[in-house]
């Protein structure tokens, strides 16, 4: 098969000056069409029809031949038919070839891939079509205006878009035709078909807005977020991964979780992001290769040197969260928002400046300080492996005489003692609500005058809401979290499993009575900027 690709490119673009040679995502616009044609699995001669010296120079640099267009064929009014025919006849003579097919390839469709182009050529040849035109399926409710000016519906019945009949709109990316149908006034034969191009490749750059969209598409990253979420560690890592994913809308994001992450799998499934469940790290390697991953984000606590070295050999950018393991030194970036600096290295980012707060906390107003405590919130994370919830419950039962206080105990979906706690609350003389798997946490935090919590990410959420908080750490790792101390508005009792119920009771009673201390704790929390961490983290990830 002798195939000619003609790329028409005038120099007089008015909507976007110098459009064809202007750099788009690091390359001249016209170079994308040239490279597609030259990379084709078919033997394709590639020429650019132009009236412009700068376009000619760029075309030659990228490997295309140039057909100089006459002034007559370079006006705004001229259609493409005579331009393509002119290039076809000149190249036929120059190459001394009889071409079988001529492809009109538009420089204004830089998102088109060579795979799609080759599939269209194959379909045209194998089905003996005279002409095949690139289209995109855009089913919409639309109206048609008659010559008399009347509007009538262009559909039979009003349906949701996914149920409407297909409606093919030309993308302008390519038009493939048998050479025998090439004429000065037409490039279309009798047996015509359309080739559906994916919507992501269908843009035809005509305006600055089109240019912006194309550049966004070309600079998209493929990002893999690895998280774990099960009863032992809760869902904090999953929530952080989702917060990142929702704000990486300019990129292709998917998740990977281990088999044991039952809580995490359910949460990601409900988010509608694509995800994969793996049994071993080797499966991640296959995923990275098959999906052409650019960045992997690990939010799985400590990593090993072997694991990170394995990832680095796959030529991906490795970004780890909350990692104090041996693999952290070899990662490209490590963000430890809960810890004070513990290691040296320019790739480490420590402390609450990098805390990623969930969207609902960005939207919610902070709590208002009340002189009299009316509402106490108890929240120890999704699983509460040390059952600190029950310890606090027992503490407030003994000699606690604050009958006018509402106690809200919030437990997560992984908390195994929910029914037991619910039954105990019914028998209590205090006003106690036990709530599981809360959807809007800020409503409870905003109304709380005091909170009791673990020393994980929840304490930062409480700080953002300005709620004076008593902390009991779930484990030794939480004790290393740098934020949960008096200078940030917290009373830290230490490792929860070693704290006596009497100590919890006495501390809470004292804080309820200490209006001035609560006011100071509230004010200290308000001094912290916890709402811009996401911006800082996204900049680190993408730069």
């Amino acid at each position: 098969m002798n195939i000619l690709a003609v790329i028409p490119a005038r120099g007089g673009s008015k909507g976007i000056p110098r459009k064809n040679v202007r750099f788009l995502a690091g390359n001249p616009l016209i170079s994308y069409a040239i490279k597609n044609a030259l990379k084709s699995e078919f033997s394709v001669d590639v020429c650019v029809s132009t009236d412009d010296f700068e376009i000619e120079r760029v075309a030659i640099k990228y490997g295309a031949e140039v057909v100089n267009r006459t002034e007559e064929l370079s006006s705004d009014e001229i259609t493409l038919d005579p331009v393509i025919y002119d290039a076809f006849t000149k190249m036929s003579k120059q190459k001394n070839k009889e071409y079988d097919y001529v492809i009109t390839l538009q420089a204004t469709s830089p998102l088109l891939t060579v795979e799609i182009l080759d599939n269209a050529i194959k379909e045209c040849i194998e089905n003996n079509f005279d002409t095949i035109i690139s289209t995109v399926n855009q089913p919409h409710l639309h109206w048609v205006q008659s010559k008399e000016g009347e509007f009538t519906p262009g559909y039979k019945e009003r349906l949701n878009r996914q149920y409407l009949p297909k409606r093919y709109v030309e993308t302008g990316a390519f038009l493939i035709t048998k050479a025998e149908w090439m004429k000065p006034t037409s490039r279309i034969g009798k047996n015509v078909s359309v080739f559906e191009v994916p919507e992501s490749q269908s843009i035809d750059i005509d305006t600055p807005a089109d240019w912006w969209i194309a550049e966004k598409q070309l600079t998209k990253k493929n990002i893999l977020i690895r998280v774990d979420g099960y009863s032992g560690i809760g869902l904090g890592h999953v929530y952080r991964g989702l917060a990142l994913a929702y704000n990486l809308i300019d990129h292709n994001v998917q998740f990977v979780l281990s088999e044991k992450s039952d809580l995490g799998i359910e949460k990601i499934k409900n988010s509608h992001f694509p995800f994969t469940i793996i049994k071993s790290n080797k499966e991640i390697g296959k995923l990275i290769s098959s999906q052409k991953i650019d960045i992997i984000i690990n939010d799985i606590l400590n990593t090993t040197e072997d694991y990170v070295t394995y990832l680095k050999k796959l030529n991906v950018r490795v970004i780890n969260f909350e990692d104090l393991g041996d693999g952290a030194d070899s990662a490209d970036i490590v963000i430890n928002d809960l810890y004070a600096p513990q290691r040296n290295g320019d790739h480490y980012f420590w402390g609450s400046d990098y805390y990623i707060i969930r969207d609902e906390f960005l939207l919610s107003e902070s709590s208002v300080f009340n002189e009299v405590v009316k509402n106490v919130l108890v929240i120890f994370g999704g699983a509460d492996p040390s059952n600190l919830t029950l310890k606090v419950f027992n503490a407030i039962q003994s000699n606690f005489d604050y009958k006018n206080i509402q106690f809200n105990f919030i437990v997560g979906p992984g908390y195994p003692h929910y029914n037991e706690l619910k039954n105990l609350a019914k028998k209590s003389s205090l006003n106690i609500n036990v709530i599981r798997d809360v959807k809007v946490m800020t409503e409870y935090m905003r109304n709380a005058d005091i909170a009791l919590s673990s020393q994980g990410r929840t304490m930062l959420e409480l700080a953002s809401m300005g709620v004076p908080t008593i902390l009991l750490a779930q484990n030794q790792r939480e004790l290393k979290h740098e934020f949960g101390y008096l200078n940030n508005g917290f009373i830290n009792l230490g490792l929860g499993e070693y704290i006596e119920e009497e100590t919890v009771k006495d501390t809470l009673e004292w804080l309820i009575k200490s209006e001035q201390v609560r006011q100071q704790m509230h004010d200290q929390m308000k001094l912290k900027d916890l709402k811009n961490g996401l911006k800082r983290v996204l900049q680190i990830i993408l730069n």
Side-chain angles (χ1 to χ4, degrees), residues 247-523:
N247 286 277
L248 287 166
I249 195 169
D250 291 349
H251 305 276
N252 300 315
V253 179
Q254 57 182 300
F255 284 84
V256 62
L257 304 96
S258 62
E259 283 184 311
K260 64 181 177 181
S261 295
D262 53 341
L263 300 176
I265 290 167
E266 188 64 25
K267 201 73 183 177
I268 297 298
K269 186 185 296 183
N270 292 335
S271 75
H272 305 296
F273 280 102
F275 68 95
T276 303
I277 302 169
I278 60 165
K279 296 179 180 178
S280 69
N281 290 337
K282 287 187 178 179
E283 293 180 55
I284 282 196
K286 293 178 182 176
L287 194 61
I288 288 171
S289 299
S290 64
Q291 299 294 319
K292 298 179 180 177
I293 298 297
D294 301 299
I295 299 171
I296 180 168
I297 297 172
N298 295 295
D299 201 341
I300 53 174
L301 296 175
N302 293 352
T303 62
T304 64
E305 176 68 26
D306 288 345
Y307 171 65
V308 175
T309 301
Y310 171 64
L311 294 178
K312 297 282 284 184
K313 288 179 180 177
L314 298 172
N315 294 317
V316 293
R317 181 170 164 83
V318 180
I319 298 174
N320 296 350
F321 279 87
E322 211 170 329
D323 186 3
L324 299 177
D326 295 335
D329 284 337
S330 299
D332 292 297
I333 294 292
V334 180
I335 300 171
N336 287 329
D337 57 347
L338 294 171
Y339 302 100
Q342 299 182 31
R343 295 182 180 180
N344 296 323
D346 291 340
H347 70 297
Y348 281 103
F349 295 84
W350 304 93
S352 58
D353 282 350
Y354 306 100
Y355 173 64
I356 298 172
I357 201 161
R358 287 184 284 158
D359 287 355
E360 68 168 290
F361 290 90
L362 296 174
L363 295 170
S364 178
E365 295 179 5
S366 300
S367 65
V368 176
F369 179 78
N370 293 315
E371 295 178 1
V372 178
V373 173
K374 297 179 180 179
N375 193 303
V376 174
L377 177 65
V378 181
I379 176 169
F380 284 97
D384 187 11
S386 301
N387 204 3
L388 301 178
T389 302
L390 187 60
K391 176 169 284 190
V392 172
F393 182 91
N394 291 334
I396 66 173
Q397 302 304 310
S398 57
N399 302 319
F400 205 93
D401 57 358
Y402 290 93
K403 305 292 185 183
N404 296 324
I405 295 177
Q406 175 67 56
F407 290 90
N408 289 317
F409 282 73
I410 293 180
V411 299
Y415 182 65
H417 309 287
Y418 170 70
N419 291 325
E420 174 190 353
L421 190 67
K422 193 86 172 171
N423 290 331
L424 289 171
K426 288 179 181 178
K427 300 173 184 176
S428 175
S429 60
L430 299 175
N431 299 319
I432 296 176
N433 281 336
V434 180
I435 310 118
R436 180 165 64 180
D437 198 19
V438 169
K439 302 301 181 187
V440 184
M441 188 65 71
T442 50
E443 292 298 314
Y444 291 92
M445 290 187 179
R446 190 179 62 199
N447 293 323
D449 299 303
I450 294 175
L452 292 97
S453 174
S454 54
Q455 204 171 329
R457 274 173 288 277
T458 304
M459 71 173 171
L460 289 155
E461 293 175 346
L462 288 162
S464 75
M465 299 295 292
V467 183
T469 301
I470 300 168
L471 296 176
L472 291 85
Q474 289 278 6
N475 48 49
Q476 290 288 344
R477 188 183 183 98
E478 280 196 359
L479 286 176
K480 298 177 183 177
H481 295 174
E482 56 91 24
F483 192 77
Y485 295 97
L486 196 57
N487 63 320
N488 290 321
F490 297 94
I491 295 173
N492 195 320
L493 297 183
L495 192 59
E497 64 179 297
Y498 296 139
I499 304 301
E500 299 290 338
E501 291 176 3
E502 190 69 21
T503 302
V504 176
K505 170 184 167 294
D506 291 344
T507 306
L508 178 56
E509 285 193 7
W510 171 77
L511 189 57
I512 288 172
K513 295 174 181 176
S514 304
E515 176 191 337
Q516 187 175 356
V517 175
R518 286 189 287 106
Q519 178 76 67
Q520 289 175 349
M521 293 169 73
H522 175 82
D523 293 344

Side-chain angles (χ1 to χ4, degrees), residues 129-173:
F129 292 131
D130 293 332
T131 305
I132 196 166
I133 300 170
S134 65
T135 61
V136 62
N137 178 29
Q138 292 182 341
H140 287 285
L141 295 173
H142 63 286
W143 292 72
V144 180
Q145 187 177 20
S146 67
K147 291 181 180 178
E148 292 76 25
E150 293 183 357
F151 289 94
T152 56
Y155 53 87
K156 292 183 180 179
E157 55 181 325
R158 296 185 71 86
L159 300 169
N160 290 337
R161 183 183 177 189
Q162 64 267 34
Y163 301 116
L164 287 170
K166 290 191 173 185
R167 178 171 168 262
Y168 293 108
V169 178
E170 291 189 30
T171 69

